[in-house]
């Protein structure tokens, strides 16, 4: 492995991660601007995966998006953009078909195809198979004006390390799977994010599969596995009494509006916590009512037939999941009676949600210049710029991991288009200021 010197050119902005958030940023930076510098801004994105993918392990047949197609990468920012979902449909020759289908919520597979289509426009800016391992401050006359992004890349010849100098940085690494403390993953114990990849390795006719979790992914996993294996017992284990429906009513959905970000940022900390608690049922540990109805229908019909395969073990928790031969020995405890039921399962699927990636670990050396709150969360201003200490003239922007300061839409697609536009405008303003500083330095100084 070699550590190469920084590239001769300094780019305007470097993105860590290339999922929907930084993909939306790429579209925003590609749009003409009346307020930015006269030249196009130069951007590069580093992505750990070897190709574009968004929740590939949960692209289940029949699974639909939970947001309108109008909340794509661009429409809320600029309905005229060539990168809209409607432009994608027109390019694919399906616009009339989609209209006739009378859909607001496309399938997850189709929306993923849309994201891949947009990503194709920016192939030259993205370096896949690249993991950022450090970000180093670059000072000039005691002011940090640039950053060196240290990247470990996987190539056909092996690993190498490259360093990209940048003025601004945008961290958009998305969410990472959340598992109960002490969980040990294996071929028989895994997170639902790997569902489609792992299910192919199961026996053709598993005897029992345990799904842990009460949210949308858990319900989708239970429904999928119940259909995929028609003779397998599916045990859904969660602490709620039953699946809870998501609230997608019009007034509740205002919490995802761009204007709600202004309100949330302006609110006192206790008001922010109150709003988040009030509206958790729009997104967390809740399930689409239609899917709840379908699962209940299956449970009831199996009772009628006298062969229950879909077992909803509510008000329960998984106490143990230990490898045992070619399966897993699990223990389920009732929260009502305390009774513990042992059973053998072919696998355990943890559909226990996601958590934001800790940006501080990615920022490495720069992290010490970034302000964090008492819980260690990075602090950002209204434009998603990390608040820094000292004379730091370059900028770090966050796409995600700002739910505590910017509201519930921080890690969701609902506000992606508008957020990316705001960050793009801020990056353009940074370029203007950097150009003005460079011009000032290049001018002859008066003689004394």
């Amino acid at each position: 492995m070699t550590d190469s010197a920084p590239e001769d050119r300094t780019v305007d902005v470097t993105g860590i991660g290339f999922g929907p958030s930084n993909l939306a940023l790429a579209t925003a930076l590609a749009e003409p601007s009346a307020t930015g510098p006269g030249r196009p801004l130069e951007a590069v994105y580093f992505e750990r995966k070897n190709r574009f993918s968004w929740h590939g392990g949960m692209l289940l047949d029949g699974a639909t998006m939970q947001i309108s197609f109008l909340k794509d990468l661009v429409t809320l920012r600029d309905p005229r953009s060539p990168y809209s979902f409607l432009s994608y449909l027109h390019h694919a020759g399906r616009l009339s078909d989609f209209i006739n289908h009378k859909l607001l919520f496309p399938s997850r597979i189709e929306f993923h195809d849309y994201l891949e289509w947009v990503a194709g426009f920016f192939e030259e800016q993205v370096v896949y198979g690249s993991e950022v391992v450090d970000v180093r401050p670059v000072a000039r006359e005691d002011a940090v004006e640039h950053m060196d992004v240290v990247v470990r890349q996987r190539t056909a010849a092996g690993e190498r390390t490259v360093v990209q100098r940048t003025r601004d940085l945008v961290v958009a690494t998305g969410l990472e799977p959340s598992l109960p403390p002490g969980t040990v993953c294996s071929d028989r114990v895994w997170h639902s994010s790997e569902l489609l990849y792992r299910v192919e390795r199961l026996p053709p006719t598993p005897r029992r599969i345990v799904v842990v979790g009460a949210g949308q992914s858990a319900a989708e996993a239970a429904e999928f596995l119940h259909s995929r294996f028609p003779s397998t017992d599916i045990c859904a284990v969660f602490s709620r009494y039953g699946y809870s429906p998501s609230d997608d009513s019009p007034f509740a959905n205002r919490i995802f509006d761009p204007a709600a970000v202004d309100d949330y940022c302006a609110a006192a900390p206790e008001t922010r916590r109150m709003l988040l608690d009030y509206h958790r049922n729009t997104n967390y540990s809740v399930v689409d009512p239609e899917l709840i109805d379908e699962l209940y229908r299956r449970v009831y019909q199996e009772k009628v037939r006298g062969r229950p395969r879909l077992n909803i073990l509510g008000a329960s928790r998984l106490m143990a999941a230990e490898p045992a031969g070619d399966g897993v020995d699990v223990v389920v405890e009732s929260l009502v009676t305390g009774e513990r039921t042992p059973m053998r399962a072919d696998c355990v699927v943890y559909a226990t949600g996601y958590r934001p990636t800790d940006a501080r670990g990615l920022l490495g050396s720069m992290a010490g210049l970034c302000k964090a709150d008492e819980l260690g969360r990075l602090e950002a201003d209204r434009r998603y710029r990390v608040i820094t200490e000292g004379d730091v003239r370059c900028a770090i922007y966050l796409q995600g991991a700002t739910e505590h300061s910017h509201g519930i839409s921080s890690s969701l697609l609902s506000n992606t288009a508008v957020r990316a536009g705001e960050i793009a405008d801020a990056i353009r303003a940074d370029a203007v200021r950097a150009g003005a500083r460079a011009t000032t330095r290049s001018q002859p100084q008066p003689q004394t």
Side-chain angles (χ1 to χ4, degrees):
M1 181 186 299
T2 60
D3 192 357
S4 63
E7 296 187 12
D8 292 336
R9 78 180 192 281
T10 298
V11 298
D12 295 291
V13 58
T14 296
I16 303 181
F18 199 65
S21 291
N22 269 348
L23 178 54
L25 177 65
T27 67
L29 291 174
E31 297 169 355
S33 171
T35 59
R39 63 178 177 81
L41 295 183
E42 189 171 7
V44 61
Y45 303 90
F46 294 108
E47 168 56 50
R48 283 191 306 175
K49 298 173 185 173
N50 292 322
R51 59 185 296 271
F52 183 87
S53 178
W54 177 68
H55 293 302
M58 287 295 290
L59 296 179
L60 308 177
D61 286 338
T64 60
M65 298 295 294
Q66 293 175 279
I67 59 169
S68 164
F69 71 89
L70 294 173
K71 291 187 175 183
D72 58 16
L73 298 173
V74 296
T75 298
L76 284 178
R77 180 180 72 246
D78 182 7
R80 301 162 298 178
S81 172
Y83 306 112
S84 69
F85 185 77
L86 291 179
S87 295
Y88 154 78
L89 289 174
H90 183 267
H91 177 267
R94 295 199 305 271
L95 183 54
S96 293
D97 296 330
F98 186 85
I99 293 171
N100 291 337
H101 208 9
K102 299 180 181 180
L103 289 180
L104 271 179
F105 309 104
S107 72
R108 198 174 295 156
I109 291 174
E110 183 173 33
F111 200 82
H112 186 277
D113 193 55
Y114 155 67
L115 295 175
E116 282 190 301
W117 176 75
V118 178
F121 289 99
F122 302 98
E123 284 287 338
E124 294 183 357
Q125 298 180 23
V126 187
V127 185
Y128 291 101
S130 301
E131 182 179 7
V132 173
V133 295
D134 195 9
V135 180
R136 302 167 181 166
V138 179
R140 178 189 178 100
E141 299 176 353
D142 296 326
V144 179
E145 293 194 350
H146 298 95
M147 293 168 279
D148 281 343
V149 182
V150 184
V151 186
R152 184 165 55 231
Q153 296 179 336
R154 299 183 296 274
T155 68
E159 286 189 352
R160 67 168 185 165
T161 300
V162 299
V163 182
Q164 173 65 65
R165 183 157 293 178
T166 188
R167 186 192 67 245
D168 288 350
L169 186 71
V170 182
V171 181
T173 50
L175 303 172
E176 59 186 15
S178 177
L179 292 162
T183 301
V184 178
C185 291
S186 66
D187 289 341
R188 298 289 179 161
V189 178
W190 26 271
H191 190 267
S192 59
S193 58
E194 300 182 86
L195 181 59
L196 287 181
Y197 310 133
R198 294 284 190 173
V199 75
E200 299 296 334
R201 306 175 193 174
L202 291 177
T205 55
R207 182 172 177 269
R208 178 181 292 117
I209 298 175
V210 174
V211 179
V212 182
Q216 182 72 19
S217 294
E220 288 180 355
E223 190 275 339
F224 168 76
L225 293 167
H226 184 262
S227 300
R228 174 69 178 261
F229 301 109
S231 61
T232 299
D233 287 343
I234 307 299
C235 295
V237 180
F238 46 81
S239 57
R240 298 190 176 207
Y241 204 77
Y243 292 113
S244 298
S246 59
D247 183 358
D248 64 348
S249 57
F251 287 112
N253 273 343
R254 284 182 171 178
I255 199 68
F256 302 113
D257 288 352
V261 178
D262 293 322
D263 294 336
Y264 199 88
C265 286
E270 58 271 19
T271 302
R272 292 178 181 178
R273 288 191 294 270
M274 179 190 71
L275 290 173
L276 197 58
D277 289 342
Y278 279 157
H279 294 284
R280 292 189 70 85
N281 63 343
T282 60
N283 184 65
Y284 296 108
S285 297
V286 289
V287 182
D288 284 341
E290 294 82 2
L291 181 53
I292 294 176
D293 288 344
E294 172 60 22
L295 292 173
Y296 192 88
R297 184 194 67 80
R298 296 188 186 192
V299 169
Y300 183 78
Q301 290 301 323
E302 288 178 352
K303 284 186 176 181
V304 171
R305 298 189 186 101
R307 174 63 176 96
R309 285 198 307 116
L310 181 55
N311 302 285
I312 308 299
L313 306 181
S316 300
R317 61 182 173 182
L318 191 67
M319 293 297 296
E322 300 293 337
D326 58 354
V328 184
D329 280 342
V330 303
V331 177
V332 177
E333 180 184 65
S334 168
L335 298 177
V336 177
T337 65
E339 180 183 0
R340 295 188 175 186
T341 303
M343 62 181 73
R344 171 67 63 88
D346 288 83
C347 73
V348 176
V349 182
Y350 282 99
T352 44
Y354 300 82
R355 60 174 178 266
T357 303
D358 183 7
R360 294 175 304 166
L362 295 170
L363 294 177
S365 305
M366 276 296 297
L369 300 176
C370 300
K371 291 189 68 175
D373 64 12
E374 66 280 3
L375 297 178
R377 301 171 300 191
L378 291 177
E379 296 185 13
D381 65 17
R382 172 61 186 82
R383 286 298 183 93
Y384 304 94
R385 178 173 178 160
V386 174
I387 299 171
T388 52
E389 298 176 311
D391 193 357
V392 178
R393 298 176 182 177
C394 50
I396 300 171
Y397 296 92
L398 298 178
Q399 296 221 65
T402 57
E403 186 178 78
H404 59 289
S405 56
H406 289 68
I408 199 169
S409 64
S410 170
S411 60
L412 306 177
L413 285 171
S414 293
N415 200 37
T416 298
V418 174
R419 180 180 64 239
E422 292 174 348
I423 293 175
D425 287 343
I427 291 171
R428 293 187 181 102
D430 293 342
V432 172
R433 286 190 292 269
R437 287 195 297 268
T439 300
T440 300
R441 281 198 298 263
S442 65
Q443 291 176 347
Q445 299 300 309
Q447 299 295 319
T448 59

